[in-house]
């Protein structure tokens, strides 16, 4: 891990993920300038200088991080009134940790480059747990010089930091990541639902599976959430919906079929319709339970188990 010399760092977007990420930067000794559309959380407010706009952040900071919900949010923060671009001067760097459209990302990077500044797309994976523990996986797109200049800052927030390719490559990787995660959540949900309906204790089934080839981080963390009915958001259904829509839209442009991804997206749409859009994405199991007319529980009754 590189040790980052103290720098003037901006952070815009202090949600579930952005708050601990910004906190790590401040704890590492960097001067932190922040702005968010809601109130700045106390844990960050005590460590940072609160700015009135994105432009204000950018005028004070040399490296500006964004952690925002969707593509339109990033575009507005970058190029809208009182946005980041208005405060940029040559030599500064924008690092977007949001998960957004790869094609839009390439356009944003080109527009920032025309201002004489660096741009890195650096979406993250690991959820709230990884953000708090500074163990995020960070997937980067941009030129090598820009990447190396901010790598010590990224390593303050994450453990696995990789330059994948040019601008947009980080976002492509994040879309791929979200496909894998969604399909794993659906698989774990179906497996535990089957076990419960068939009469086995899903908690013990999960424990047994963790010792075999089916073991995964999703089975470990989200399997436990499904059984314990803990759907407090680490990463919301609504945000995962957005990421899967990016995958499907991009696949359409590429002439590519993603049938399993489309199925997972429909399950998340169903969850949203059932009122679980704000819930953790492990709540995808709720849609499967609705189809089965059976909720996962520790002990179940089954005609199969009695035959």
């Amino acid at each position: 891990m590189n040790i980052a010399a103290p720098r003037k760092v901006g952070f815009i977007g202090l949600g579930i993920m952005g708050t601990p990420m910004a906190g790590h930067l401040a704890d590492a000794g960097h001067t932190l300038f922040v702005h968010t559309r809601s109130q700045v959380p106390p844990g960050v407010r005590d460590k940072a200088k609160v700015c009135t706009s994105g432009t204000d952040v950018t005028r004070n900071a040399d490296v500006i991080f964004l952690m925002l919900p969707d593509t339109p949010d990033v575009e507005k923060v970058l190029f809208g009134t009182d946005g980041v671009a208005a405060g940029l001067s040559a030599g500064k760097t924008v690092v977007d940790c949001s998960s957004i459209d790869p094609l839009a990302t390439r356009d944003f990077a080109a527009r920032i480059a025309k201002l004489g500044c660096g741009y890195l797309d650096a979406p993250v994976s690991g959820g709230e747990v990884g953000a708090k523990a500074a163990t995020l996986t960070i997937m980067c797109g941009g030129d090598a010089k820009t990447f190396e200049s901010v790598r010590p800052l990224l390593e303050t927030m994450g453990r696995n930091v990789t330059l994948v390719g040019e601008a947009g490559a980080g976002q492509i990787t994040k879309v791929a990541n979200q496909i894998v995660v969604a399909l794993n959540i659906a698989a774990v949900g179906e497996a535990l639902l089957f076990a419960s309906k068939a009469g086995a204790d899903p908690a013990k089934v999960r424990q047994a599976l963790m010792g075999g080839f089916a073991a995964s981080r999703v089975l470990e963390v989200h399997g436990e959430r499904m059984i314990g009915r803990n759907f407090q958001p680490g990463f919301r259904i609504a945000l995962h919906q957005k990421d899967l829509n990016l995958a499907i839209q991009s696949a359409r442009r590429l002439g590519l079929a993603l049938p399993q991804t489309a199925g997972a997206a429909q399950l998340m749409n169903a969850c949203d319709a059932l009122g679980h859009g704000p819930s953790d994405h492990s709540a995808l199991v709720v849609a499967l339970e609705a189809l089965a007319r059976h909720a996962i529980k520790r002990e179940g009754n089954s005609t199969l188990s009695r035959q």
Side-chain angles (χ1 to χ4, degrees):
M1 175 176 175
N2 295 325
I3 303 300
R7 300 179 73 171
K8 295 179 180 179
V9 179
F11 209 104
I12 301 174
L14 300 172
I16 290 174
M17 301 287 288
T19 295
M21 291 168 69
H24 292 313
L25 290 166
D27 291 341
H30 303 292
T31 303
L32 188 64
F33 302 88
V34 301
H35 177 68
T36 193
R37 62 185 177 185
S38 56
Q39 290 188 343
V40 176
V44 173
R45 189 188 309 124
D46 299 339
K47 305 174 183 178
K49 299 181 181 181
V50 179
C51 298
T52 58
S53 67
T55 301
D56 190 21
V57 169
T58 308
R59 286 174 177 158
N60 284 285
D62 298 318
V63 180
I64 303 92
F65 286 88
L66 310 181
M67 190 62 180
L68 303 166
D70 205 347
T71 307
D73 303 296
V74 173
E75 184 170 24
K76 181 179 179 180
V77 166
L78 285 176
F79 305 110
T81 304
D82 296 325
V84 167
L88 285 174
S89 54
K92 297 193 175 189
T93 302
V94 176
V95 182
D96 182 23
C97 295
S98 317
S99 297
I100 65 170
D101 188 326
L103 293 182
T105 291
R106 290 170 180 165
D107 175 63
F108 298 162
R111 292 165 71 179
I112 295 297
K114 288 181 180 179
L115 301 174
C117 298
Y119 190 97
L120 196 73
D121 53 292
V124 305
S125 179
E128 183 182 11
V129 172
K132 287 182 175 179
T135 57
L136 293 169
T137 292
I138 307 179
M139 304 153 261
C140 302
D143 65 79
K145 183 178 179 180
T146 300
F147 172 72
E148 290 301 332
S149 72
V150 301
R151 182 172 185 168
L153 297 175
L154 295 171
E155 289 179 340
T156 300
M157 301 178 287
R159 181 177 293 169
N160 181 19
V161 180
T162 306
L163 178 62
V164 179
E166 295 299 322
Q171 298 295 352
I172 291 169
T173 307
K174 179 58 187 289
V175 170
N177 178 87
Q178 296 302 80
I179 292 172
V180 172
V181 172
L183 297 187
N184 269 274
I185 292 173
V188 168
E190 289 191 5
L192 295 180
L193 182 61
F194 166 77
S196 176
K197 182 72 172 179
D201 183 340
K204 292 181 179 178
V205 170
R206 171 185 165 276
Q207 181 181 359
L209 293 177
M210 283 301 300
F213 200 54
S216 71
R217 185 70 172 149
V218 170
L219 177 63
E220 178 187 0
V221 176
H222 292 321
E224 184 175 18
R225 280 177 170 271
M226 293 172 188
I227 294 165
R229 317 310 290 175
N230 173 20
F231 300 134
Q232 288 298 312
F235 187 76
R236 288 180 282 130
I237 283 278
L239 290 177
H240 210 145
Q241 272 184 294
K242 176 260 299 181
D243 292 340
L244 293 187
N245 286 337
L246 287 175
I248 292 166
Q249 291 164 10
S250 297
R252 185 178 297 116
R253 291 195 294 262
L254 294 168
L256 179 67
L258 298 177
Q260 304 305 319
T261 302
Q266 288 300 319
L267 289 172
M268 290 195 178
N269 291 345
C271 283
D272 193 14
L274 291 168
H276 282 278
S279 300
D280 186 80
H281 54 173
S282 56
L284 178 147
V285 73
V286 172
L288 295 170
E289 291 173 332
L291 291 170
R293 296 186 180 182
H294 177 87
I296 290 174
K297 49 190 176 183
R298 290 184 179 274
E299 294 181 5
N301 295 316
S302 165
T303 55
L304 178 60
S305 64
R306 296 193 294 268
Q307 289 177 351

